[in-house]
Amino acid sequence: MIVGQRDLAELLLTALLADGHVLLEGVPGVAKTLTAKLLARTLSVPFSRLQFTPDLMPSDVLGTSVFRPQKGEFEFRPGPIFASVVLIDEINRAPAKTQSALFEVMEERQITQDGVRYAMPTPFVVLATQNPIEQEGTYRLPEAQLDRFLFKLSVGYPTMEEEVAILQGHHAGFGGTPLEAVQPVVSADDLRQLREQVSRQHVEPKLLEYIARLVGQTRAHKGLYLGASPRASLALLNGSKALAALRGRDFITPEDIQYLAPVVLRHRIQLTPEREMEGGTPDDVVKQILQQIEVPR
């Protein structure tokens, strides 16, 4: 049983409707993996799980070519990445060589093996978990890979009331979550139709300019060493359209953009060393930028 985490659930569904990948960060034991598995169980699509480790090779993710003596030729054997929902547990425990295997597949929904392209199934979503960077035995993810995640969601500790509810449920015998009891409610075709509806959301021109101003300000901010790319603008637009649809509207508002700005930008910007020494965080800078840019009405 998942207690609390309502915002997390809403943002995961938003990313699913926006056709984006999600990075979940938090200390061990806060139900990151369980939440991702439960989301996957609600979809009637192929699912696979990868546990990233320091000795994992790219072929363990993408697949490899196997020689068939009977045919006298090599045959490609797809790896676990060939699924509609791919859960990568502790993604930051694999080195850069393995991380690079995800660059093409996360952006282009295909891989190239021995000069042959293999397309991913539709839909294709990567849900990755990671422990905070300061945890022992982890690697920093490359910026190019981080940029491919639509959202980076921070999973924090439960409140006192929520933790009491967790203990009460466990004591009463409801501590486990039998995944088999969760039945799929959305098919691949259903999700495709929902995404088409999301893409038709109405967006005022002034809101497009608002998104561009917010993202553009990250490139001029004195506290940032690296600003966000145009991919962040697209992520903010698509995410806002999906969030508005999830909340029952056929148009987006400035509040949708402001709500999603931290989860879209926090992993795409880098603080200057001086700002880091002062104890600043990416979320602090995003909040400051939101206060500086005039909100369209």
Side-chain angles (χ1 to χ4, degrees):
M1 179 174 65
I2 301 292
V3 177
Q5 307 290 12
R6 291 186 178 275
D7 290 343
L8 174 64
E10 182 182 51
L11 288 169
L12 282 172
L13 291 174
T14 299
L16 191 64
L17 288 176
D19 193 15
H21 311 299
V22 179
L23 179 62
L24 299 166
E25 183 179 79
V27 297
V30 290
K32 301 184 301 297
T33 301
L34 178 58
T35 303
K37 289 169 70 175
L38 285 172
L39 176 65
R41 288 286 301 181
T42 64
L43 305 174
S44 181
V45 296
F47 168 76
S48 70
R49 177 181 176 180
L50 281 150
Q51 180 69 49
F52 269 26
T53 56
D55 60 348
L56 199 72
M57 298 296 291
S59 59
D60 297 326
V61 178
L62 304 180
T64 186
S65 295
V66 179
F67 184 70
R68 299 295 186 187
Q70 300 87 347
K71 299 180 180 180
E73 60 185 23
F74 284 92
E75 180 180 300
F76 178 67
R77 179 177 294 175
I81 197 69
F82 283 83
S84 287
V85 178
V86 181
L87 170 59
I88 301 178
D89 220 1
E90 296 187 309
I91 189 172
N92 58 335
R93 291 202 179 276
K97 183 177 183 179
T98 304
Q99 302 294 350
S100 65
L102 298 173
F103 283 22
E104 180 185 13
V105 70
M106 288 182 66
E107 179 65 19
E108 302 176 37
R109 268 70 171 180
Q110 67 172 31
I111 70 164
T112 304
Q113 186 82 4
D114 297 328
V116 181
R117 295 181 180 179
Y118 300 92
M120 293 295 110
T122 303
F124 175 72
V125 178
V126 173
L127 304 175
T129 71
Q130 73 170 15
N131 296 329
I133 298 300
E134 62 267 22
Q135 295 284 327
E136 184 178 356
T138 61
Y139 299 83
R140 182 182 178 88
L141 298 184
E143 283 72 21
Q145 183 181 0
L146 286 171
D147 202 27
R148 284 161 167 76
F149 284 102
L150 182 75
F151 296 157
K152 179 183 177 182
L153 308 180
S154 296
V155 186
Y157 290 112
T159 64
M160 174 67 75
E161 292 76 14
E162 290 170 348
E163 192 147 3
V164 169
I166 293 171
L167 293 171
Q168 288 174 339
H170 186 82
H171 178 64
F174 300 104
T177 302
L179 294 177
E180 296 75 17
V182 181
Q183 297 300 317
V185 294
V186 178
S187 68
D189 191 55
D190 293 334
L191 185 57
R192 179 186 59 79
Q193 294 179 23
L194 290 171
R195 286 176 172 177
E196 288 179 358
Q197 293 180 29
V198 166
S199 67
R200 295 194 294 267
Q201 290 283 79
H202 178 70
V203 184
E204 292 283 348
K206 60 185 179 182
L207 292 181
L208 296 176
E209 184 176 340
Y210 182 52
I211 291 174
R213 286 182 181 275
L214 287 175
V215 176
Q217 187 62 28
T218 65
R219 304 163 195 162
H221 197 281
K222 294 181 179 180
L224 294 179
Y225 170 73
L226 176 68
S229 71
R231 190 184 277 136
S233 300
L234 295 172
L236 199 48
L237 172 62
N238 294 333
S240 297
K241 290 162 74 172
L243 180 64
L246 200 60
R247 292 179 172 179
R249 286 183 275 106
D250 61 359
F251 59 93
I252 73 170
T253 66
E255 288 71 26
D256 296 326
I257 299 169
Q258 293 166 349
Y259 180 73
L260 293 180
V263 299
V264 168
L265 296 175
R266 62 169 56 126
H267 56 296
R268 292 182 162 96
I269 58 179
Q270 280 191 15
L271 301 176
T272 61
E274 296 79 14
R275 192 61 180 260
E276 281 189 304
M277 291 179 64
E278 294 171 358
T281 65
D283 283 10
D284 293 335
V285 173
V286 173
K287 183 178 179 180
Q288 186 180 37
I289 290 174
L290 287 170
Q291 292 172 344
Q292 292 173 346
I293 304 298
E294 182 180 356
V295 181
R297 296 297 179 188

